[in-house]
Amino acid sequence: MVQGPMFIRFCVPFFFNVSFFLAALSAKAQLDSTNEQEIPDVDMEIADLIKGMTLEQKVGQLFLVGFQGREITEGAQTMIREVKPGGIILFGRNIKTARQTARLINQSQITATELYHIPLLVAVDQEGGVVSRVKLNPPFPSALSIGNAENEEITQRMGYYNSVLLKSLGFNMNLAPVVDIISDKKPTFIGNRAFGVSVNQAVEMSRAFALGQKLGGIMPTLKHFPGHGSGFVDSHVALPTRNDTLEDMLKADLLPYTNLNQDVSPEAVMVAHIAFPKIDPSGLPAAFSKVFLQDILRKKLNFDGIVVTDDIEMAGASVTTSLGDRAVKSLLAGADMIMVAWNRVAQKSSVNKVIEAIKNGKLPEARINESLERILIAKRSLGILYQATPPNLRSFRSLALSNSISDLSEKLIETATQKSMQTMPQRDPKERVGIMSVVSTRKNFHSHFKKTYNSTTLHFGTPALRSGELVSKLKKSSNSLALVHITSRQVAQLLEYIPKNLKKRVILVNGDSPGIIPSPESYRHIFNIYTSDPRSGGFLGLALRNYFRPSSTPPQPFDLRTPAGN
């Protein structure tokens, strides 16, 4: 069942960003000072807590679980009582409104602390773009549209605002940023969820975003270790295999995971279900590989934060049919938290299997205590070791009613448009452009474009590509052009219906991800903006008006604060 999104309109000016951001920077200075102090090898507070826990409580802390519904039902309470999880993860199925989400999280924390006295890590996938469980209007930009600006200050602010929104609802952990390094030459599974197609851009921008989240009080989780890279196989449905060597990985995919302890501690790393047979000849997915989790991540990269698995229910994790055995294998390999996000029966059976493995000596309790210590230290750093931080809807409304995110989103679109214009072919001064046909699934994209382009335009939906309606329009007038708004791979595939001899009269707006447009050199130009935000139409209209008619009458005033809509 498709759940209704939570839409928040950014429309009222509010001086939220400066005071909160400066306060966060002050907190960072204090944090840096604390990190410089000598930390004892034995943390007595954490050690005493662990000594007082039962085996069932210890094992439960190693699980990150999900549940159905938008409120704490009797079934959810039973799950928390039986599993005693260290954390929960919410998806779109759990989120409808701000108030409902805050109430759900608060009730979950109350249930957990009453039962076993340790608050929960409350996680969510709030990457931006298509993977945003908390929906905003205008939408939170994709990671690639943020990274494409190559501006660390903007990226850090985006991470900070993202975390303020989440923390105000009661979340304390975000399963982001995505630090995979993708190709700009072919489609990838990750798409615009990554921060860059170059190593430097991906490393610098994802790290800035993670630091922003940390400043806002949310624990960032870098993923998907060791890296999906340019692969197209989705580990939800199959096991991806990469033939890279360790030397290859250290030059690219593993760079985002270096020096994490100094930069954004505390933090977590999510390990993916990907096999690298040239690095670990066993062929095991990384989430079950001692080579990756112990030899590479812990020893070579010196990471001492939390290692959480991607969901072990995924097809890529099928090292054995038993989910309980998968949990044991992953913990033996070096994981700290096991995600079982969907199946309540599997959650309970996995916990029982781990307890059984400890009792029969297959899984040393000392190994469990290592992970438990990392989890409890992270909770203490977040201020939730003994008492959960309650939601603060006032902070949520303050940011939601400000233009902080909206203004930065516009800046990103403007920067991407200007960046693409730099590679636009020089215009023939004799060229006279007729009607511009705009193809987009979003009517507001055309509305924004028409307002600034200030000339005759026609709007078509994407079916016009398949039906030949757009082609007919181009054939009728030799000086007409088309602007096609690519919002998905499915739309990109429809470009095959445009004859080769007409493609030089077509300008594309890539609002999705790199590598999805076949034969990109065939088209007059491609604007790579990597966001489907319809307000991009306004910036593109202005840029193309200045390009085709540099001396024309200025357009009517351009107000991007009109509703983004669809």
Side-chain angles (χ1 to χ4, degrees):
M1 178 178 177
V2 178
Q3 300 178 5
M6 174 170 57
F7 289 113
I8 311 297
R9 176 68 50 78
F10 295 99
C11 56
V12 181
F14 188 88
F15 295 104
F16 173 90
N17 50 352
V18 175
S19 59
F20 272 73
F21 198 67
L22 290 176
L25 291 176
S26 174
K28 179 182 182 296
Q30 295 177 13
L31 177 67
D32 291 342
S33 175
T34 302
N35 287 342
E36 291 174 0
Q37 298 174 10
E38 185 175 348
I39 300 175
D41 292 335
V42 179
D43 190 317
M44 294 308 299
E45 180 185 27
I46 300 299
D48 288 343
L49 271 177
I50 293 175
K51 286 179 183 178
M53 297 173 70
T54 66
L55 180 59
E56 289 74 15
Q57 289 174 330
K58 287 183 179 182
V59 172
Q61 285 292 307
L62 310 184
F63 281 83
L64 182 67
V65 300
F67 54 88
Q68 298 283 348
R70 295 171 180 165
E71 59 184 27
I72 288 294
T73 62
E74 184 177 341
Q77 288 180 327
T78 300
M79 180 275 294
I80 293 176
R81 182 171 59 251
E82 292 179 347
V83 175
K84 302 176 179 61
I88 58 174
I89 177 171
L90 301 191
F91 293 92
R93 62 185 178 180
N94 306 114
I95 298 171
K96 184 177 182 180
T97 68
R99 185 176 297 278
Q100 167 269 322
T101 304
R103 183 171 59 248
L104 171 63
I105 292 173
N106 195 45
Q107 290 174 344
S108 300
Q109 291 286 24
I110 290 172
T111 301
T113 51
E114 286 181 349
L115 288 172
Y116 48 91
H117 312 298
I118 299 177
L120 298 160
L121 290 173
V122 184
V124 67
D125 292 291
Q126 189 70 9
E127 301 171 10
V130 294
V131 183
S132 297
R133 309 307 184 196
V134 180
K135 304 293 184 184
L136 307 175
N137 189 24
F140 199 93
S142 71
L144 191 55
S145 69
I146 297 173
N148 198 39
E150 298 185 82
N151 185 313
E152 288 190 41
E153 180 184 353
I154 289 179
T155 303
Q156 186 171 315
R157 282 180 177 268
M158 277 298 193
Y160 174 72
Y161 294 143
N162 194 9
S163 70
V164 170
L165 281 173
L166 294 180
K167 188 174 182 180
S168 68
L169 295 174
F171 293 101
N172 47 48
M173 182 180 189
N174 190 15
L175 303 185
V178 172
V179 301
D180 298 278
I181 299 167
I182 61 173
S183 169
D184 61 349
K185 305 299 182 186
K186 60 181 181 179
T188 63
F189 160 58
I190 294 298
N192 64 15
R193 298 165 62 193
F195 276 87
V197 295
S198 73
V199 175
N200 287 341
Q201 180 179 320
V203 171
E204 293 172 6
M205 296 303 108
S206 62
R207 191 157 293 180
F209 190 86
L211 180 57
Q213 289 189 108
K214 180 67 176 62
L215 293 176
I218 293 290
M219 180 165 67
T221 306
L222 281 67
K223 62 184 185 184
H224 306 81
F225 179 84
H228 275 284
S230 298
F232 193 71
V233 177
D234 181 351
S235 53
H236 289 84
V237 297
L239 174 63
T241 299
R242 292 183 57 181
N243 290 315
D244 307 67
T245 65
L246 180 56
E247 184 179 5
D248 296 331
M249 297 290 288
L250 288 170
K251 292 177 181 177
D253 297 76
L254 294 178
L255 284 178
Y257 300 97
T258 59
N259 301 318
L260 287 181
N261 301 323
Q262 294 90 335
D263 289 348
V264 290
S265 180
E267 70 292 300
V269 164
M270 176 184 283
V271 58
H273 306 307
I274 313 171
F276 293 80
K278 288 186 177 179
I279 300 175
D280 183 352
S282 72
L284 288 170
F288 306 93
S289 167
K290 289 184 179 180
V291 173
F292 274 103
L293 299 189
Q294 295 185 29
D295 298 343
I296 297 176
L297 186 57
R298 293 293 187 202
K299 296 176 182 177
K300 195 169 191 66
L301 300 178
N302 298 313
F303 178 68
D304 62 5
I306 297 174
V307 174
V308 57
T309 71
D310 211 338
D311 195 342
I312 63 169
E313 298 169 279
M314 292 163 58
S318 301
V319 293
T320 177
T321 55
S322 165
L323 289 178
D325 287 338
R326 295 181 196 180
V328 172
K329 286 178 180 293
S330 187
L331 290 169
L332 280 169
D336 298 311
M337 293 194 82
I338 308 297
M339 185 193 299
V340 188
W342 296 88
N343 190 315
R344 180 177 153 193
V345 174
Q347 292 163 356
K348 178 60 177 173
S349 64
S350 296
V351 168
N352 288 340
K353 194 71 175 181
V354 172
I355 293 172
E356 178 186 326
I358 295 171
K359 288 181 176 179
N360 65 25
K362 182 179 179 180
L363 179 61
E365 190 167 356
R367 164 76 271 281
I368 295 304
N369 289 342
E370 289 175 5
S371 293
L372 184 57
E373 182 179 13
R374 294 188 188 104
I375 294 166
L376 295 178
I377 287 175
K379 288 187 176 185
R380 183 176 62 189
S381 298
L382 291 168
I384 61 165
L385 186 57
Y386 302 108
Q387 184 175 356
T389 303
N392 184 351
L393 288 178
R394 181 176 298 177
S395 292
F396 182 89
R397 294 190 189 99
S398 295
L399 183 55
L401 292 175
S402 76
N403 291 314
S404 303
I405 295 176
S406 182
D407 288 347
L408 284 183
S409 297
E410 291 173 9
K411 181 65 176 176
L412 293 172
I413 297 170
E414 181 182 25
T415 300
T417 303
Q418 293 172 347
K419 192 174 182 180
S420 284
M421 281 300 298
Q422 293 174 4
T423 59
M424 189 88 164
Q426 187 172 357
R427 185 183 70 89
D428 182 351
K430 296 180 180 179
E431 181 182 21
R432 294 294 179 266
V433 177
I435 295 174
M436 178 74 76
S437 297
V438 179
V439 180
S440 177
T441 58
R442 297 171 179 252
K443 292 181 180 179
N444 266 16
F445 175 86
H446 174 250
S447 299
H448 284 301
F449 180 86
K450 185 177 181 179
K451 182 181 290 188
T452 56
Y453 186 64
N454 200 33
S455 189
T456 304
T457 63
L458 295 174
H459 176 254
F460 296 92
T462 51
L465 292 169
R466 182 186 283 109
S467 69
E469 188 177 4
L470 176 67
V471 171
S472 297
K473 186 64 64 176
L474 290 173
K475 286 181 176 179
K476 284 182 180 179
S477 175
S478 60
N479 65 344
S480 63
L481 298 177
L483 182 75
V484 182
H485 187 205
I486 308 296
T487 54
S488 68
R489 294 174 185 175
Q490 290 72 26
V491 175
Q493 290 170 356
L494 296 177
L495 295 173
E496 67 181 35
Y497 291 98
I498 301 176
K500 187 175 181 180
N501 65 317
L502 293 179
K503 288 185 176 180
K504 283 300 180 183
R505 290 165 56 194
V506 176
I507 298 170
L508 302 181
V509 182
N510 186 353
D512 190 78
S513 54
I516 66 170
I517 297 171
S519 304
E521 69 284 350
S522 302
Y523 299 91
R524 176 153 184 169
H525 189 61
I526 300 176
F527 286 91
N528 290 310
I529 60 173
Y530 305 128
T531 177
S532 59
D533 189 330
R535 294 175 301 168
S536 59
F539 287 103
L540 291 160
L542 185 61
L544 291 177
R545 181 191 70 83
N546 291 334
Y547 176 78
F548 288 119
R549 302 187 309 283
S551 60
S552 64
T553 304
Q556 57 184 294
F558 182 27
D559 182 10
L560 279 175
R561 301 200 193 286
T562 52
N566 290 315

